[in-house]
DNA sequence: CGCGCTCTTGACTAGGGTCAAGTGCAGTGG
DNA sequence: CCACTGCACTTGACCCTAGTCAAGAGCGCG
């Protein structure tokens, strides 16, 4: 099992566990690059990501893409498309992934009959929104160095929630190009930024792994708000 | 009355109209600068904006602000705070405004009993999300000139939905500083961009009014997607 | 009258994009 | 086993967009 830790966080009742279990189909393994969800798919389909990473991105008119967010194990893929229409957003697996499809026809009724689960769902949407907002601030206000470092910290936090972070780093299958598209800069410039971070002994990103050096210094540099993804503090009225 | 056109768009039943009416308190006039909704308010309060403009922004640690969006007549203010926790987001009136408070305790039950209203609500959240995403693309990928022009067009579209746009422009009470904070650039640089737009006879922004010159050229310049806020096309399954 | 706010313009600087070239693999096919 | 291709990454040289610093104009207001 692997529904995002949100749910396991506030001890679920057996009943709620069952409802959650009923919501998901069985695990499916999908090859890297298989498009999970694309904007013009006939009908909305959603998944729980159990293993692997995905990119969530918008395709632009000129053929470029803007990566909006990543999906790591425990995250939902594509719920937004069930709840509301999210225009032109694609999700693509950048590693081999394992997913469990969500029986979307049961989604709304389940969340109506189990209020706490419904709130938890709202929380995930809320978190997506918070990430989108923070992402905007990142690109608009922070320097490339700051936002690169900030992103590494943020992902660390997210992976930690599902037990995939080490005390000094984590595995990260993003290519430099992916990262650059996410952070809103050129791959070339990102490369230079990474070198700076490495040479300052702050963060090393090499061979698919992020390794932190002086974490305190890094947090100071980025002004990382340690609480902003914190479950406790960002949780709405007592889920 | 002035609930966003979404609702009036798909002819509401008398029953739905009543439910909507019951949801709102009576009109209140508030002076410019009165903080409508701030992040650490004791309890979430929400409004329908009937007249005037507001800014939605995030306060940053260093004292700066990042404007996330604007609110124009017909928009909701602060629903996001009822549905989910939106971190550190403030809304402030930049003109004298008229609002109707929303009886938030009735919100959820109303939208449960009137499914189409509930979907319409989801649609507004969806639109906020789409705007946030587009905003990110703006700042990350477009030049200052493009995104300034793009913003003017977007607002035009939004105002048109509530009948506040003229065929060649609209009233816009934003200061250059507000606009700059929204578009993620310096007020100084924005000023230069405005001059460029004016001298190219594309858009004039002066004395609180936006006036378009060669609109076709402007649309071409920005690659403005005329449909992305379009009600018809972005509406989820038949509200 | 003087203060503060918005807007305007100029001169200078720097962060990050563009262009170009090169390295080091991992496949793939002969 | 070796060539050939393609992709991810690296680095350098150059340039342009947008930020910074500085000064001044116009205007509403106490």
């Amino acid at each position: 099992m692997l529904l995002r830790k949100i749910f396991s966080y506030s001890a679920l009742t057996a009943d709620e566990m069952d409802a959650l279990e009923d919501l998901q189909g069985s695990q499916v393994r999908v090859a890297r690059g298989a498009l999970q969800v694309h904007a013009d798919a006939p009908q909305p389909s959603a998944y729980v990501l159990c293993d692997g990473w995905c990119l969530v991105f918008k395709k632009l008119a000129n053929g470029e893409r803007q990566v909006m967010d990543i999906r790591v194990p425990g995250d939902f893929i594509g719920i937004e498309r069930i709840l509301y229409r999210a225009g032109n957003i694609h999700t693509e697996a950048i590693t081999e992934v394992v997913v469990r499809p969500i029986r979307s026809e049961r989604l709304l009724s389940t969340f109506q009959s189990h209020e706490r689960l419904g709130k938890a769902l709202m929380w995930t949407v809320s978190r997506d929104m918070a990430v989108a907002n923070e992402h905007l601030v990142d690109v608009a206000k922070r320097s490339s160095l700051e936002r690169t470092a900030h992103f590494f910290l943020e992902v660390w936090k997210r992976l930690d929630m599902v037990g995939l972070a080490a005390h000094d780093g984590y595995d990260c299958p993003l290519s430099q190009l992916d990262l650059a598209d996410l952070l809103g800069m050129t791959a070339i410039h990102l490369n230079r930024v990474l070198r700076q971070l490495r040479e300052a002994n702050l963060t090393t990103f090499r061979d698919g792994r992020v390794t932190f050096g002086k974490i305190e210094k890094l947090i100071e540099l980025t002004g990382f708000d340690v609480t902003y993804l914190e479950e406790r503090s960002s949780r709405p009225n007592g889920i």
Side-chain angles (χ1 to χ4, degrees), chain A residues 74-85:
Chain A
D75 286 344
F76 280 114
I77 296 176
I79 8 117
E80 69 277 6
R81 304 199 54 245
I82 291 180
L83 292 172
Y84 52 81
R85 183 207 121 108

Side-chain angles (χ1 to χ4, degrees), chain A residues 187-206:
Chain A
I188 297 180
H189 190 64
L190 174 68
N191 185 285
R192 292 191 251 261
V193 168
L194 291 177
R195 177 160 38 138
Q196 273 184 269
L197 285 173
R198 196 187 323 125
E199 286 173 355
N201 192 25
L202 292 171
T203 312
T204 305
F205 177 45
R206 201 180 267 286

Side-chain angles (χ1 to χ4, degrees), chain A residues 210-221:
Chain A
V210 172
T211 311
F212 292 119
K214 312 180 207 145
I215 295 190
E216 293 73 22
K217 211 148 193 185
L218 201 61
I219 292 179
E220 183 193 334
L221 167 70

Side-chain angles (χ1 to χ4, degrees), chain A residues 144-160:
Chain A
S144 55
L145 189 78
E146 288 169 330
R147 71 172 176 269
T148 305
H150 187 268
F151 176 75
F152 283 141
L153 285 173
E154 182 188 311
V155 174
W156 192 38
K157 200 105 216 298
R158 285 172 65 176
L159 289 174
D160 187 45

Side-chain angles (χ1 to χ4, degrees), chain A residues 28-230:
Chain A
V28 182
R29 182 171 297 268
V30 185
R32 164 194 167 128
L35 222 59
Q36 294 298 323
V37 179
H38 52 116
D40 29 280
Q43 77 218 332
S45 49
Y47 306 87
V48 173
L49 180 58
C50 301
D51 194 38
W53 288 44
C54 295
L55 287 188
V56 181
F57 58 93
K58 243 183 130 133
K59 279 188 178 164
L60 306 184
N62 59 10
E64 287 184 283
R65 63 176 189 179
Q66 173 64 46
V67 176
M68 316 301 295
D69 199 1
I70 57 170
R71 292 286 118 107
V72 298
D75 286 344
F76 280 114
I77 296 176
I79 8 117
E80 69 277 6
R81 304 199 54 245
I82 291 180
L83 292 172
Y84 52 81
R85 183 207 121 108
N88 195 25
I89 300 231
H90 298 239
T91 303
E92 184 177 326
I94 55 169
T95 63
E96 187 187 60
V97 296
V98 176
V99 297
R100 295 184 67 178
I102 289 180
R103 328 222 71 234
S104 51
E105 70 283 3
R106 297 190 200 166
L107 191 69
L108 290 179
S109 62
T110 301
F111 286 133
Q112 266 168 19
S113 55
H114 296 79
E115 196 196 353
R116 287 170 72 230
L117 294 184
K119 281 191 177 170
L121 179 69
M122 266 345 271
W123 184 84
T124 72
V125 174
S126 159
R127 207 208 48 145
D128 282 356
M129 199 78 180
V131 168
N133 285 338
E134 195 65 17
H135 199 165
L136 176 63
V137 173
D138 255 24
V139 174
K141 289 275 200 271
R142 281 192 253 264
S143 72
S144 55
L145 189 78
E146 288 169 330
R147 71 172 176 269
T148 305
H150 187 268
F151 176 75
F152 283 141
L153 285 173
E154 182 188 311
V155 174
W156 192 38
K157 200 105 216 298
R158 285 172 65 176
L159 289 174
D160 187 45
M161 287 186 198
V162 286
L164 290 175
H167 73 285
D168 68 338
Y170 52 89
D171 290 325
C172 172
L174 296 172
S175 73
Q176 287 189 12
L177 189 68
D178 294 334
L179 243 187
D181 281 346
L182 176 78
L183 296 172
M185 60 180 122
T186 313
I188 297 180
H189 190 64
L190 174 68
N191 185 285
R192 292 191 251 261
V193 168
L194 291 177
R195 177 160 38 138
Q196 273 184 269
L197 285 173
R198 196 187 323 125
E199 286 173 355
N201 192 25
L202 292 171
T203 312
T204 305
F205 177 45
R206 201 180 267 286
D207 299 325
R209 178 144 190 115
V210 172
T211 311
F212 292 119
K214 312 180 207 145
I215 295 190
E216 293 73 22
K217 211 148 193 185
L218 201 61
I219 292 179
E220 183 193 334
L221 167 70
T222 61
F224 186 64
D225 175 2
V226 194
T227 67
Y228 109 85
L229 286 180
E230 199 71 42

